[in-house]
Amino acid sequence: MTTDRIFVGGGGEGYGVAQSLLLGFGNRHGLIAGATGTGKTVTLQILAEGFSAAGVPVFLSDVKGDLSGLALPGKAEGKLHESFTKRAATIGLDLQYDSFPVTFWDIWGQQGHPVRTTVAEMGPLLLSRMLELSEPQEGVMNIAFRLADEQGLPLLDFKDLTAMLTFVAENAKDLSGTYGLVSPASVGAIQRRLLVLDNQGGAALFGEPALDLHDFMQVDDRGRGRINILAADRLMNSPRLYATFLLWLLSELFEELPEVGNPDKPRLVFFFDEAHLLFDGAPKALVDKVEQVARLIRSKGVGVYFITQNPADVPDAVLGQLGNRVQHALRAFTAKDQKDLRLAAQNYRPNPRFSTEDAIREVGTGEAVTSFLEAKGIPGMVERTLVRPPSSMLGPVDAGTRAALIAASPVAGKYDTAIDRDSAHEMLARRAEAAAAETARAEAEAARQKDQAQADRDYTRARRYDPTPRYEAPRSPAPKRTPSRQSDSVTEAFAKSVARQLGTRTGQAIVRGILGTLFKSR
């Protein structure tokens, strides 16, 4: 039965005091932290189950490949079942195994439905972050997007972006007069980064049909929120691609969803695993924008939960926005570890019964130090908590089961086939062909005029030695033409054409949001 809270586990003396996350504060964000092997994945799993049971859709990334078990009920047999039954009895839980509605997603379309966005929707800021560009290189990327916007050149897929950058490089001199210095070296550096991204398979992210966020926010026929699982095991081989994709997804939710104030439960909960990848090496400007999104997106009814090994991985400005916290054990082997442990303990409201620092060091696997927001949003007193066992299966489903679930998904077939619309790549190619044809016509006319001039000279010389009058048919005068350099190349002709258009907006005006993603009016 759906209630106003998610039971997380038992705390207090003998673990008899229920520790729960109030659904009304589920959009106040959260943190799941702890060393490897301390139980973070199970905590993520039981929270996803709880939100789903309450009718809240969930998005999470499956970094290790073992969260697909949410689609199947747990097994009432074996040693694991005995352990779970004993733990459930300790915390007063009537453990019932159950499966949950799951939709699988995969950028490459191998372990789930393909996930795509367009280059224009990703925007220059996040693309620059993904490619680890320097400030001058990011400036060139912004010029490419600005020029595409003004010239009505849709940037949809990977080849559109590469074609646009090639055009910018070939016309750097003409563009510099309007947009500031465009260094061919900077363009070349971006192109090399794009080549690396392409080699890693990142080009598959860009294209159409682009993801419809409403497909993430569905419920099943029992009113349970669908759990959207992104296959991230291969994606983790490109950490910057992984982090930037999730950040884009978060920014899209922020830009697209309407304000809902303080709902009784979240509209969507977003779990950001391996959250340190988002902040490692991030410039302060980007961290500030992430903090702004985290602060404002809760009014859109979205809860964001960061999963990482150490709370210190999350900047203080963002950490301060995370109201619901589950801290598994931290190991303190070095002086820095001990300092981080002390700082982690200071993030909790003290409990007079025990030392928070000692508790974080001592809790075992399946235990955690927890603090959830209470009435009026007040941080709850820290408790040592025995985390409840999950209702769904621990571990991954087999390939056959995954394939059957994908085939039965409510979005089956919607994203399977990529669409290649007429866009920047094709438009620039047509412009180049038109410029080439114009150049060919000009060269043919120049050759005709040259031949005519030679014929006139030959005729004059012939009359000098043969004064006999002869009849000549009147010749049509050659069309007047402004002399031009016959050495103009296709690129130069194209550049002249574009230079004449730089001051004219032919494309639709573009508005971008906080993180530079494309803002689409609702």
Side-chain angles (χ1 to χ4, degrees):
M1 182 177 66
T2 302
T3 66
D4 65 344
R5 63 194 63 210
I6 297 172
F7 178 67
V8 177
E13 295 291 341
Y15 301 115
V17 181
Q19 299 298 302
S20 301
L21 189 157
L22 298 179
L23 286 171
F25 295 117
N27 64 331
R28 298 294 184 90
H29 311 321
L31 174 73
I32 303 173
T36 300
T38 56
K40 297 191 300 296
T41 300
V42 173
T43 298
L44 190 163
Q45 186 165 340
I46 63 135
L47 287 179
E49 291 177 356
F51 281 116
S52 175
V56 179
V58 172
F59 172 85
L60 56 86
S61 51
D62 191 2
V63 172
K64 294 183 290 186
D66 53 4
L67 285 170
S68 57
L70 280 157
L72 297 178
K75 297 178 180 179
E77 58 184 24
K79 293 183 178 180
L80 188 61
H81 169 65
E82 294 176 3
S83 172
F84 282 175
T85 302
K86 182 178 180 181
R87 186 189 301 187
T90 301
I91 61 178
L93 171 68
D94 179 18
L95 179 62
Q96 301 290 328
Y97 291 121
D98 198 2
S99 61
F100 292 83
V102 163
T103 303
F104 292 111
W105 301 90
D106 181 10
I107 285 179
W108 292 280
Q110 297 173 351
Q111 301 183 70
H113 304 293
V115 183
R116 302 184 192 91
T117 183
T118 64
V119 172
E121 287 177 335
M122 178 69 73
L125 176 63
L126 292 183
L127 269 173
S128 297
R129 169 68 173 160
M130 181 187 295
L131 299 172
E132 301 180 77
L133 301 184
S134 65
E135 185 175 345
Q137 293 161 1
E138 183 177 346
V140 171
M141 182 70 81
N142 275 279
I143 290 172
F145 271 76
R146 176 67 177 272
L147 182 60
D149 291 346
E150 293 185 346
Q151 293 298 308
L153 299 170
L155 298 177
L156 303 181
D157 54 25
F158 199 75
K159 67 179 186 297
D160 290 330
L161 180 58
T162 54
M164 197 70 215
L165 287 168
T166 298
F167 169 69
V168 169
E170 292 173 343
N171 300 282
K173 183 177 179 180
D174 295 280
L175 297 173
S176 293
T178 301
Y179 298 102
L181 179 63
V182 178
S183 167
S186 293
V187 180
I190 298 172
Q191 290 171 321
R192 289 190 293 274
R193 294 294 178 89
L194 286 173
L195 179 62
V196 173
L197 181 63
D198 191 19
N199 290 340
Q200 294 173 340
L205 174 60
F206 301 106
E208 292 185 312
L211 176 67
D212 181 355
L213 291 179
H214 293 92
D215 288 335
F216 274 2
M217 306 178 70
Q218 300 188 34
V219 296
D220 70 358
D221 53 5
R222 291 169 54 186
R224 299 178 302 172
R226 295 198 71 87
I227 301 175
N228 300 276
I229 301 179
L230 175 70
D233 45 354
R234 176 183 173 188
L235 191 56
M236 286 300 295
N237 294 328
S238 307
R240 191 57 58 89
L241 174 61
Y242 166 79
T244 307
F245 169 73
L246 292 191
L247 185 55
W248 165 78
L249 199 55
L250 192 60
S251 68
E252 284 289 288
L253 290 167
F254 174 77
E255 300 294 351
E256 293 299 306
L257 296 180
E259 298 277 345
V260 294
N262 292 309
D264 293 336
K265 61 184 179 182
R267 297 185 63 194
L268 177 75
V269 170
F270 187 103
F271 288 96
F272 202 133
D273 203 356
E274 300 294 342
H276 67 280
L277 295 175
L278 173 59
F279 302 107
D280 284 350
K284 185 178 184 302
L286 180 61
V287 173
D288 289 344
K289 290 181 178 181
V290 173
E291 186 271 332
Q292 185 180 4
V293 169
R295 177 163 41 85
L296 298 177
I297 201 172
R298 71 185 190 189
S299 65
K300 308 290 185 87
V302 178
V304 183
Y305 289 71
F306 294 96
I307 299 97
T308 189
Q309 292 197 13
N310 195 315
D313 296 334
V314 181
D316 289 342
V318 178
L319 192 62
Q321 304 293 324
L322 312 182
N324 301 295
R325 303 186 180 192
V326 179
Q327 175 67 64
H328 291 273
L330 285 177
R331 312 306 182 198
F333 298 113
T334 67
K336 182 180 182 304
D337 291 341
Q338 294 173 7
K339 180 180 178 181
D340 289 342
L341 179 59
R342 287 193 297 272
L343 291 175
Q346 292 170 11
N347 288 320
Y348 292 88
R349 177 182 165 190
N351 188 323
R353 291 191 293 104
F354 58 86
S355 162
T356 305
E357 182 178 341
D358 290 343
I360 294 174
R361 182 187 295 110
E362 295 169 359
V363 290
T365 301
E367 292 182 288
V369 172
T370 62
S371 174
F372 301 104
L373 295 178
E374 298 177 342
K376 299 182 180 180
I378 299 172
M381 187 178 297
V382 67
E383 280 289 357
R384 290 187 64 155
T385 301
L386 184 61
V387 178
R388 60 152 293 173
S391 297
S392 56
M393 185 181 78
L394 278 183
V397 299
D398 58 62
T401 301
R402 181 186 288 268
L405 289 166
I406 293 171
S409 164
V411 296
K414 181 174 181 178
Y415 299 99
D416 293 352
T417 304
I419 300 173
D420 188 9
R421 284 200 294 133
D422 193 56
S423 52
H425 176 264
E426 292 80 11
M427 292 177 179
L428 287 171
R430 285 198 298 271
R431 289 189 187 184
E433 290 173 0
E438 176 63 27
T439 300
R441 284 193 296 270
E443 291 175 348
E445 176 61 23
R448 191 196 67 79
Q449 292 186 17
K450 182 178 178 181
D451 292 343
Q452 183 64 58
Q454 182 62 46
D456 290 345
R457 287 192 295 271
D458 293 344
Y459 175 75
T460 301
R461 282 196 297 270
R463 286 294 302 270
R464 185 179 305 163
Y465 299 104
D466 183 9
T468 304
R470 63 186 67 182
Y471 172 78
E472 294 181 30
R475 290 180 297 170
S476 300
K480 294 182 180 181
R481 183 176 182 274
T482 303
S484 63
R485 292 185 298 121
Q486 297 181 17
S487 61
D488 278 0
S489 66
V490 173
T491 299
E492 290 171 326
F494 191 14
K496 291 178 181 177
S497 171
V498 173
R500 290 193 296 269
Q501 302 177 52
L502 288 181
T504 305
R505 280 184 174 270
T506 60
Q508 182 182 4
I510 302 297
V511 180
R512 296 192 177 275
I514 287 180
L515 286 166
T517 55
L518 193 62
F519 180 81
K520 301 179 283 294
S521 59
R522 290 183 293 272

